Amino acid sequence: MENLTHQDVVNLLLQLAAMLLLARVFAEIAQRFRQPAVVGELLAGILLGPTILGTIVPDLHEYLFMSNPSANLALDGFVQIAVVLLLFIAGLEVELHLVWSQGKSALSISLLGLVVPFALGFVFPYYFSSFFGLADGDRLLFSLFMGTAMSITALPVVVRILMDMDLFKTKMGMLIVASAMVNDIIGWLIFSVILSFMGKSSNLSLFQTIGITLLFTFFMLTLGKLIINRVLPWVNKKLAWPGGVLSLSMAFCFLAAAFTEWLGIHAIFGAFLLGVALGDSEHMSERAKEIVHQFINNIFAPLFFVSIGLKINFFTNFELMLTLAVLVISFAGKIIGSGYGAFKGGFNIRESLAVGFGMNARGAMEIILGLIALENGLIDEKLFVALVVMAIITSMTSGPLMKWALNPVKLERKSPKPDD
């Protein structure tokens, strides 16, 4: 086993310090303007990367991020762990009992909010693949990815927006959250199938990979959840709190992630499913969840989002028409699909629009999806930049557009009831 040299360690520590410091500063600035912290963290990465620092002070950028391959490899290890942990806490946000309580209404909104943007995201890139940046890859896989990218919703961003607007406990708020949960589970399942088509270094056949993925999903959401419910009370009682539950949850998160990575899909899918199963347990206290959230959101998440800006020059890879096309498809698909689903569920036009705007926030999930596709050669840097811009704009506009739609509407504040 090779060790990092003295200079490797110095370089790595300087990288981590610079990334965390700038991420904190820009996250605070973003939050002052009532924007998600992720927006500030992405801007910090653009500032530290080839876009700004590499252009203005190329020698400093070269020393920090380009001069030491071993330090960069170690940093990439941190970033990979950060992605896995981000999807783990996204899974913790999912509360399956809330999905069941909303019943057919949540299913209608989430499925239409998935199918319509998926269809738009698939059709246009399929027939205009060269415009969207496909040179010589598989057009079907490329279009399937774009459909998935257009249909995903960032659950953590949605929850934060609804809390900021004091809508979280309203009937509409509960419905949007439940719909986003269903949307996320189905969206990541589709993406895992797409990755299996790409045959990522797995000895299994395509059908074996898909079959085991579906079985693993079913197991984690049924029997796995029951096992966790049985084991957690013993963990809470016998082991030190909160250290016991935190270390074991992290360990099993990495085990689930390792299993899905071995399957040939991606580590994030296993982490997400483990998060769903664990977060839905009545024995996983809100305090324990909060500790996990604070640890990951303030240390690992900034490293990931800053690293995005280190990989690409956003100026040279920005294409206006491509970005506008991605924005139009993303807005139209989510607002029409989710909005129509809400209208069918009994909401009036303005409330239905608000549901569509709420489901339109893409945030971190879109960026993670795009980065994995970029690393696997499915998309190019120009399309990745367009997806990042879309993720930022949808996250920034979701709250204000919901406020605009609901301005004259008085919302009913009550606990959600199951469908008859």
Side-chain angles (χ1 to χ4, degrees):
M1 182 176 177
E2 288 186 37
N3 294 324
L4 293 176
T5 67
H6 166 72
Q7 188 54 46
D8 293 338
V9 174
V10 170
N11 198 240
L12 176 63
L13 294 175
L14 286 173
Q15 287 177 341
L16 292 172
M19 292 167 76
L20 287 172
L21 281 169
L22 255 73
R24 187 71 261 154
V25 169
F26 279 84
E28 292 292 333
I29 293 170
Q31 288 172 330
R32 291 284 171 89
F33 289 95
R34 302 192 68 78
Q35 295 300 330
V38 62
V39 173
E41 290 160 1
L42 284 166
L43 290 175
I46 292 170
L47 179 65
L48 277 175
T51 311
I52 296 179
L53 186 65
T55 303
I56 298 172
V57 194
D59 290 345
L60 179 59
H61 177 260
E62 175 78 21
Y63 172 73
L64 269 178
F65 298 108
M66 306 294 288
S67 64
N68 200 311
S70 296
N72 288 350
L73 191 62
L75 179 64
D76 187 58
F78 276 98
V79 171
Q80 292 295 332
I81 291 170
V83 179
V84 168
L85 293 178
L86 268 170
L87 263 292
F88 172 63
I89 61 170
L92 281 179
E93 298 274 2
V94 176
E95 296 179 25
L96 291 175
H97 67 273
L98 180 60
V99 175
W100 308 139
S101 76
Q102 292 296 338
K104 288 181 289 186
S105 298
L107 202 60
S108 170
I109 293 170
S110 60
L111 288 181
L112 282 167
L114 194 79
V115 170
V116 175
F118 188 93
L120 290 176
F122 178 88
V123 169
F124 285 101
Y126 188 81
Y127 288 104
F128 304 98
S129 55
S130 58
F131 172 79
F132 283 91
L134 180 68
D136 53 4
D138 188 313
R139 188 165 63 156
L140 178 62
L141 276 183
F142 175 73
S143 304
L144 284 170
F145 163 75
M146 286 300 292
T148 309
M150 294 300 108
S151 59
I152 208 87
T153 294
L155 180 59
V157 177
V158 170
V159 169
R160 176 66 185 270
I161 289 168
L162 291 171
M163 285 179 170
D164 286 349
M165 293 177 64
D166 197 27
L167 295 176
F168 190 71
K169 295 298 181 184
T170 64
K171 184 180 178 183
M172 176 187 288
M174 292 285 104
L175 193 57
I176 291 173
V177 171
S179 304
M181 289 173 185
V182 175
N183 198 301
D184 266 13
I185 292 171
I186 297 173
W188 284 109
L189 187 57
I190 293 170
F191 187 55
S192 71
V193 172
I194 293 170
L195 287 175
S196 70
F197 272 102
M198 296 177 68
K200 279 183 61 193
S201 62
S202 171
N203 295 321
L204 301 171
S205 71
L206 172 63
F207 292 108
Q208 283 176 323
T209 302
I210 293 172
I212 295 172
T213 300
L214 293 173
L215 279 173
F216 180 63
T217 304
F218 180 75
F219 169 79
M220 288 303 298
L221 299 182
T222 53
L223 190 60
K225 194 160 75 79
L226 287 173
I227 293 169
I228 288 171
N229 250 335
R230 291 289 179 88
V231 173
L232 263 184
W234 181 88
V235 171
N236 289 330
K237 186 176 179 182
K238 299 291 184 183
L239 303 184
W241 195 95
V245 69
L246 293 182
S247 59
L248 285 178
S249 62
M250 290 290 115
F252 281 98
C253 164
F254 292 139
L255 279 174
F259 177 69
T260 52
E261 182 70 28
W262 172 81
L263 270 182
I265 43 178
H266 199 283
I268 58 169
F269 188 64
F272 178 72
L273 284 179
L274 194 278
V276 173
L278 183 64
D280 201 53
S281 171
E282 60 193 32
H283 303 294
M284 182 67 175
S285 68
E286 289 301 318
R287 177 67 181 141
K289 285 185 189 177
E290 182 61 23
I291 293 169
V292 174
H293 273 271
Q294 291 296 334
F295 176 63
I296 294 170
N297 277 329
N298 291 296
I299 297 172
F300 284 97
L303 291 177
F304 169 70
F305 292 117
V306 172
S307 76
I308 299 295
L310 301 181
K311 295 175 188 292
I312 291 175
N313 190 316
F314 275 70
F315 287 160
T316 57
N317 287 294
F318 178 78
E319 275 196 13
L320 180 61
M321 294 310 296
L322 176 61
T323 305
L324 287 175
V326 168
L327 279 168
V328 169
I329 293 170
S330 64
F331 271 80
K334 272 295 178 189
I335 294 165
I336 293 169
S338 300
Y340 180 63
F343 187 71
K344 276 184 66 183
F347 287 100
N348 64 38
I349 291 175
R350 293 190 76 92
E351 289 172 335
S352 301
L353 266 178
V355 170
F357 291 139
M359 291 286 287
N360 193 39
R362 300 314 207 287
M365 300 302 102
E366 186 72 41
I367 295 164
I368 294 170
L369 203 71
L371 184 63
I372 294 166
L374 180 68
E375 289 173 345
N376 283 278
L378 197 55
I379 63 174
D380 65 8
E381 293 183 341
K382 288 182 169 62
L383 182 54
F384 176 70
V385 168
L387 289 173
V388 171
V389 172
M390 181 265 278
I392 292 172
I393 290 176
T394 54
S395 299
M396 291 175 71
T397 57
S398 187
L401 287 172
M402 279 189 77
K403 284 179 185 173
W404 169 79
L406 293 173
N407 195 28
V409 179
K410 299 229 185 231
L411 286 172
E412 186 182 0
R413 297 185 70 80
K414 67 177 184 180
S415 298
K417 293 179 182 178
D419 284 326
D420 296 322

